[in-house]
Amino acid sequence: MTKPCNVPASFPEALEAGRIPMAPLQIHEPGKTPLPHAEDQVAVGVDLGTTNTLIAVARNGRPEILRDRDGQALLPSLVAYTDQGILVGKPARQALLDDPHTVVASVKRLMGRGAENIRAVAGSLPYDIEPTDENAGDRMVRLRVGGRSLTPVEISAEILRAVAARAEASLGHKVNRAVITVPAHFDDAARAATKDAAKLAKIEVLRLVNEPTAAALAYGLEKGAEGVYAVYDFGGGTFDISVLRLQMGVFQVLATGGDAQLGGDDIDHVIAEHFMQERIASLGVSTLTAGEARMALMSARLAKECLTTEVTGNWSLDAGGEQSSHDLDRPTLDRLIGPMVERTIDHCRDVMAEAGVTPKEIQGVVLVGGSTRVPLVAQRVAEFFDTEPLVDINPDEVVALGAALQAEALTVGSDQLLLDVTPLSLGIETMGGLVEKVVRRNTPVPTAQYQEFTTYQDGQTALMIHVLQGERELVDQNRSLAQFELSGIPPMTAGAARVRVTFMVDADGLLTVRAEESTTGIQQEVAVKPSYGLDDKAMAAMLRASLENAEGDMAARLLRESKVEAERIALAVDAALIADGDLLSDDERAVIDGFLIDLRSAVVADDRDTVEASAAAINDGTSEFAQRRMDRGISEALTGVALSQLSDTVDSGAKT
Amino acid sequence: MSATQIDGANGANGQVLQCWSCQGPVSLGLSFCPTCQAIQSPRQTEIFAQLGLEPTFDLDFSQLEKNYFSLQRTFHPDSFAAKSPQEQEYSLQHATNLNDALKTLKSPVLRAEYLLQFHGAAVAGGPEKTVNDEAVLVEAMETREALAEAEIPADIESILTRAGDGIRDCTTGLSAAFADGDLTAAAALTLRLTYLVKLNDEAVQRARIFSRGT
């Protein structure tokens, strides 16, 4: 015997089924209720890029980039820590020339990273790295800049503050909620670091959205794109390739691939290395200071940009008081960067196979990111997909525009649906340094997957859970995210314990791990605080240091949360009164109406204590009413007018 | 307000639960309170029902996808981003269940294993992973060996063809076995299908390595 189909009945269907009398009350669809006072504070979309950062806002489905006073859309992702204060963007670029050791560039590449991940240029680091303190709570890399010791999270927060200020100037109100985009291939540590940076900048992250997905959203909504699309996103520091199906407002990521450490910066490195080799050949070996290394990278970048339109050019390097001159033409550049571009094409091939589509089935290829301006890149993409790539929307702006559209959707509501996947496999370490995958890459998120593990020694009472991210077989080849211990397992023979490890990935792509021993029910849950992340203590200290009015902000936030909750309670009581008001005498009804009036005036009065007291009062004051409603519901169910039958009726109604 | 369930009500007939938000009655099958519209915690654990389908091996995939999209539109956390933490948590649970149910239903192996459990049959090669079907065992060992020894793309091609044919046979057989209620046959076919799918995946992997020439 099978049960009738069980499509959940949402409220409007219940309404049609006549369950709820119509009333002169504004009734919202589930999930569509706007926040109180949300309309005066629009949420923004931020493309926090390696090279440039953009901020955009969407109103009534029309996204728009917010520009600075000079009309510039791009804010260079440069932060200078000078004696005069902190400079972000163009002013920091000037400081890069005057006093390069005070400036940090491409900080995004260091998000969630340890010191060992930072690449050297010809033996010289472009950053001064603080020695790592093994005993410190966090192992995130720290940079020494302008006499300060800073984490990438703090530096990114400065960039976010700068774009938020730009948006506030342009919109005329506070900006404190945003969708922030991240490379699809950002791992858990980098995503968590991005959220921490937003927290420091006093911005609530509504959602982390993958950059290629945001770009697809912009194309789908702005250009009406439908079908299977590839998004080739080659930015300043990362490469992503995503294959999506766009149909009737659903944006479904079929597969994504890429490399979080491959971008325009690497092209600059290759060119800088080439210049350095020429220089060494003519002037002999010399070591560069951090500042000189950065200047060399800047010359390399200028050469790259120039060669997008020109076929040849000449650049000079200045270091240790000696100048060298370097010619570069496009064929040489193509030869230098060829292997890198082929790596991106290899990723494209793999992702197409993962997605189960052939290049022929691809409706269009969207180009995103500044590095797609390199002629060889555009040419190879066109060859591989056998179609002229789309650049209808500016590749620099498309991600921010998509983020703004999603920010509006999350706050105001919309019909679009983004279904994304986890870019990298997640697993745990097993015996012999092997990785057992628990969540495979390209699994749609949110997801919860589990695997059972057991003890390998008699009497073993604890199990070390080592969480890893990546595709390789061996622990050492993957990225270590976190380690924790499940203890208190009763002594048993080896292999008798049953430890179920559940990986939960939320819509931001962030991981929570739960471990449970099933014979005893001992359970441990950890929000994965990445090994390279900041611990809570460090985060708290930074918040204190950075927020002059931290207390005021916290209070404002708590008030807002209380008001959201109070609003929900008031609406719930309204609905209950409409449905079951006949269970109350006139006097009882008047009392509850009084509570409602108190609650609503408390919300308007903006005082958190009053709001909470009123909410508590109405909870108490309606408990008898709730009991009567339950009694009626149960007796109806027992006396044949069964709610279950009603729900079946509603369900079959929902099916058609 | 606390998310209480009235134990008496639950125990009395199992049909009526209390809404965590307005405290009123909600019948078990509903995901939204009929009175205050608040999302409820997911109660449906049967995955075909979660996706609004009859439990069968021969799925209508276009219907599956249609239902999945429409349910995700209703439950996805993006629709609850501006809601209270409790509502966000329930939406996350619903959306997670839908994704995980879809994954199981789309895979012939997982779908067959789930149906076997659903009908109360033991899954061969389940937790113990013991293979007691000798024919399958021998076939698996032979093809594994052939794959390991493959030197030219054509060798892999022929293994892929063989795996593909086998997978087709298994799924056809499974659909007949489930239709006849022959769970013993279904269990045996599920086991063979499991190994064939694995073989196919490994062969695809090898083919990819060959085509890249590394």
Side-chain angles (χ1 to χ4, degrees):
Chain A
M1 214 218 88
T2 52
K3 279 187 64 180
C5 295
N6 213 341
V7 177
S10 60
F11 174 65
E13 289 138 11
L15 194 67
E16 281 162 29
R19 282 281 297 144
I20 294 163
M22 288 303 287
L25 237 193
Q26 195 187 4
I27 293 170
H28 301 282
E29 246 184 286
K32 301 286 185 333
T33 315
L35 264 186
H37 318 298
E39 56 282 356
D40 52 357
Q41 285 182 350
V42 299
V44 295
V46 179
D47 173 7
L48 180 58
T50 308
T51 317
N52 293 298
T53 296
L54 294 95
I55 191 162
V57 67
R59 275 167 293 205
N60 305 316
R62 312 259 29 118
E64 177 200 353
I65 300 282
L66 300 173
R67 294 164 190 276
D68 68 5
R69 254 166 289 166
D70 304 332
Q72 296 294 313
L74 304 177
L75 177 89
S77 301
L78 294 169
V79 185
Y81 292 85
T82 70
D83 297 340
Q84 288 78 48
I86 300 169
L87 306 173
V88 182
K90 257 189 300 179
R93 183 172 282 168
Q94 187 55 44
L96 192 58
L97 298 171
D98 303 340
D99 206 359
H101 72 275
T102 61
V103 185
V104 185
S106 299
V107 69
K108 184 178 183 178
R109 305 198 80 173
L110 308 183
M111 293 295 268
R113 296 263 134 191
E116 70 277 12
N117 304 112
I118 300 163
R119 181 193 305 255
V121 193
S124 305
L125 286 166
Y127 306 98
D128 288 329
I129 307 291
E130 289 271 293
T132 317
D133 178 1
E134 286 297 327
N135 301 319
D138 59 88
R139 284 164 62 208
M140 187 183 279
V141 63
R142 283 178 171 272
L143 308 182
R144 178 140 287 279
V145 194
R148 307 183 202 206
S149 164
L150 297 159
T151 63
V153 168
E154 290 162 282
I155 298 163
S156 292
E158 294 298 345
I159 300 170
L160 286 173
R161 282 192 193 105
V163 280
R166 172 191 289 191
E168 283 166 10
S170 160
L171 297 170
H173 65 73
K174 284 288 282 179
V175 168
N176 48 23
R177 293 186 300 163
V179 164
I180 298 183
T181 58
V182 289
H185 265 69
F186 248 22
D187 63 22
D188 194 76
R191 283 169 198 265
T194 303
K195 270 195 139 177
D196 283 345
K199 206 184 210 179
L200 275 185
K202 297 186 256 173
I203 294 169
E204 179 193 345
V205 179
L206 292 166
R207 186 72 75 234
L208 294 176
V209 172
N210 291 328
E211 286 159 9
T213 310
L217 188 64
Y219 266 88
L221 296 178
E222 291 288 281
K223 302 286 170 195
E226 292 255 320
V228 179
Y229 278 75
V231 180
Y232 180 100
D233 180 356
F234 201 6
T238 57
F239 170 70
D240 286 324
I241 169 78
S242 288
V243 176
L244 296 98
R245 193 164 37 161
L246 281 53
Q247 54 176 13
M248 300 190 301
V250 180
F251 296 77
Q252 186 184 25
V253 179
L254 300 177
T256 187
D259 188 336
Q261 298 290 316
L262 179 63
D265 282 4
D266 299 279
I267 295 178
D268 301 348
H269 271 277
V270 169
I271 298 169
E273 295 277 3
H274 174 72
F275 287 170
M276 282 309 293
Q277 275 170 19
E278 288 185 342
R279 186 181 160 93
I280 287 164
S282 62
L283 296 174
V285 177
S286 63
T287 320
L288 298 187
T289 64
E292 286 164 352
R294 244 171 314 190
M295 295 302 293
L297 284 174
M298 211 146 117
S299 299
R301 184 177 155 191
L302 288 174
K304 172 185 74 179
E305 287 173 1
C306 178
L307 290 178
T308 60
T309 48
E310 305 299 314
V311 288
T312 184
N314 176 278
W315 291 268
S316 63
L317 286 190
D318 240 322
E322 282 184 299
Q323 203 176 49
S324 53
S325 165
H326 306 274
D327 290 321
L328 189 66
D329 58 18
R330 204 184 282 171
T332 311
L333 175 69
D334 289 355
R335 185 172 53 72
L336 289 172
I337 66 172
M340 232 181 270
V341 177
E342 285 319 301
R343 264 165 72 197
T344 70
I345 297 297
D346 284 345
H347 281 297
C348 292
R349 202 172 284 125
D350 287 350
V351 165
M352 305 277 282
E354 278 287 304
V357 294
T358 59
K360 233 184 268 160
E361 293 169 76
I362 298 276
Q363 218 85 44
V365 185
V366 172
L367 289 188
V368 183
S371 299
T372 59
R373 292 216 175 77
V374 173
L376 180 67
V377 172
Q379 178 201 323
R380 287 295 293 127
V381 173
E383 282 167 9
F384 177 75
F385 288 101
D386 197 20
T387 177
E388 212 42 56
L390 302 168
V391 284
D392 311 26
I393 305 180
N394 183 336
D396 285 328
E397 298 181 356
V398 63
V399 168
L401 294 171
L405 286 163
Q406 186 64 1
E408 190 187 33
L410 293 179
T411 46
V412 182
S414 83
D415 288 332
Q416 81 221 24
L417 174 64
L418 282 194
L419 298 168
D420 219 313
V421 299
T422 177
L424 297 159
S425 298
L426 294 156
I428 83 171
E429 177 172 354
T430 59
M431 286 298 293
L434 293 172
V435 180
E436 176 75 22
K437 293 193 175 106
V438 180
V439 179
R440 302 204 60 92
R441 70 172 165 196
N442 291 320
T443 299
V445 292
T447 187
Q449 307 281 321
Y450 68 87
Q451 197 84 265
E452 286 200 334
F453 297 90
T454 188
T455 48
Y456 64 95
Q457 275 178 348
D458 288 341
Q460 188 178 342
T461 56
L463 209 68
M464 180 57 92
I465 313 269
H466 186 192
V467 182
L468 296 135
Q469 188 162 33
E471 307 312 317
R472 309 288 294 278
E473 299 294 323
L474 298 175
V475 167
D476 297 347
Q477 300 166 329
N478 290 289
R479 189 152 164 75
S480 165
L481 288 182
Q483 295 198 39
F484 69 100
E485 197 183 72
L486 181 78
S487 51
I489 301 171
M492 286 181 256
T493 50
R498 286 272 170 275
V499 177
R500 175 179 282 204
V501 180
T502 307
F503 279 36
M504 291 161 287
V505 183
D506 68 14
D508 288 329
L510 288 169
L511 174 68
T512 307
V513 179
R514 181 197 297 150
E516 186 178 10
E517 201 287 305
S518 59
T519 58
T520 56
I522 287 165
Q523 195 174 317
Q524 255 170 58
E525 187 168 317
V526 283
V528 173
K529 261 293 176 190
S531 310
Y532 294 101
L534 298 165
D535 64 11
D536 291 341
K537 228 170 68 193
M539 190 70 202
M542 271 180 206
L543 275 168
R544 266 199 307 280
S546 71
L547 307 179
E548 288 126 33
N549 48 355
E551 274 176 35
D553 290 327
M554 183 58 83
R557 175 153 191 169
L558 289 173
L559 171 66
R560 196 151 62 80
E561 284 169 7
S562 301
K563 283 164 73 172
V564 170
E565 182 67 3
E567 199 72 22
R568 178 192 67 71
I569 294 171
L571 287 171
V573 174
D574 280 342
L577 287 173
I578 293 165
D580 297 317
D582 59 316
L583 291 170
L584 297 169
S585 71
D586 287 353
D587 289 349
E588 288 166 334
R589 171 68 188 245
V591 171
I592 292 178
D593 283 344
F595 281 133
L596 272 173
I597 290 166
D598 288 351
L599 184 62
R600 292 215 153 97
S601 42
V603 167
V604 176
D606 266 358
D607 178 63
R608 181 166 162 249
D609 289 343
T610 321
V611 172
E612 302 225 312
S614 309
I618 203 166
N619 264 346
D620 284 350
T622 54
S623 61
E624 168 64 26
F625 178 40
Q627 188 57 52
R628 283 186 215 163
R629 293 174 61 216
M630 284 305 296
D631 289 345
R632 169 142 90 186
I634 292 159
S635 69
E636 275 178 2
L638 290 174
T639 54
V641 197
L643 282 170
S644 61
Q645 282 177 12
L646 247 161
S647 84
D648 287 346
T649 322
V650 173
D651 287 348
S652 43
K655 239 180 80 185
T656 52
Chain B
M1 289 187 196
S2 59
T4 38
Q5 290 183 5
I6 301 249
D7 290 333
N10 208 359
N13 63 22
Q15 300 291 330
V16 182
L17 300 168
Q18 189 167 32
C19 170
W20 64 274
S21 179
C22 79
Q23 313 283 318
V26 183
S27 76
L28 188 60
L30 295 180
S31 299
F32 290 94
C33 172
T35 306
C36 75
Q37 315 129 56
I39 187 171
Q40 306 294 306
S41 73
R43 307 246 162 77
Q44 182 55 263
T45 54
E46 204 287 282
I47 63 173
F48 284 98
Q50 273 173 13
L51 280 154
L53 297 167
E54 297 290 337
T56 166
F57 186 76
D58 302 311
L59 271 187
D60 177 347
F61 286 97
S62 70
Q63 190 64 44
L64 171 65
E65 183 157 275
K66 218 175 115 196
N67 291 3
Y68 169 75
F69 286 153
S70 118
L71 289 163
Q72 279 292 25
R73 253 188 228 281
T74 308
F75 290 112
H76 196 276
D78 283 356
S79 295
F80 294 81
K83 294 281 209 155
S84 70
Q86 185 66 73
E87 288 163 292
Q88 291 186 19
E89 174 59 30
Y90 287 153
S91 118
L92 180 64
Q93 290 174 10
H94 276 283
T96 298
N97 289 351
L98 287 170
N99 278 335
D100 297 344
L102 181 75
K103 181 189 160 191
T104 303
L105 294 185
K106 270 168 71 171
S107 146
V109 170
L110 296 178
R111 187 166 74 247
E113 284 178 354
Y114 177 83
L115 274 172
L116 285 171
Q117 275 166 359
F118 179 82
H119 292 299
V123 181
E128 287 79 33
K129 301 269 182 227
T130 45
V131 179
N132 47 20
D133 186 326
E134 203 171 316
V136 171
L137 201 64
V138 169
E139 187 188 7
M141 280 167 60
E142 279 175 5
T143 40
R144 275 285 162 75
E145 219 163 284
L147 183 61
E149 286 165 2
E151 276 169 4
I152 51 167
D155 294 345
I156 293 179
E157 273 309 317
S158 86
I159 292 170
L160 276 171
T161 311
R162 208 167 137 188
D165 291 347
I167 288 171
R168 257 189 307 282
D169 290 349
C170 281
T171 42
T172 315
L174 274 168
S175 110
F178 278 117
D180 298 345
D182 183 352
L183 298 182
T184 317
L189 284 163
T190 304
L191 179 65
R192 179 156 182 255
L193 182 63
T194 307
Y195 119 79
L196 284 169
V197 167
K198 210 165 166 209
L199 174 74
N200 188 67
D201 290 350
E202 278 165 19
V204 167
Q205 201 65 30
R206 281 294 295 275
R208 219 186 276 181
I209 292 166
F210 266 120
S211 78
R212 195 174 286 182
T214 47

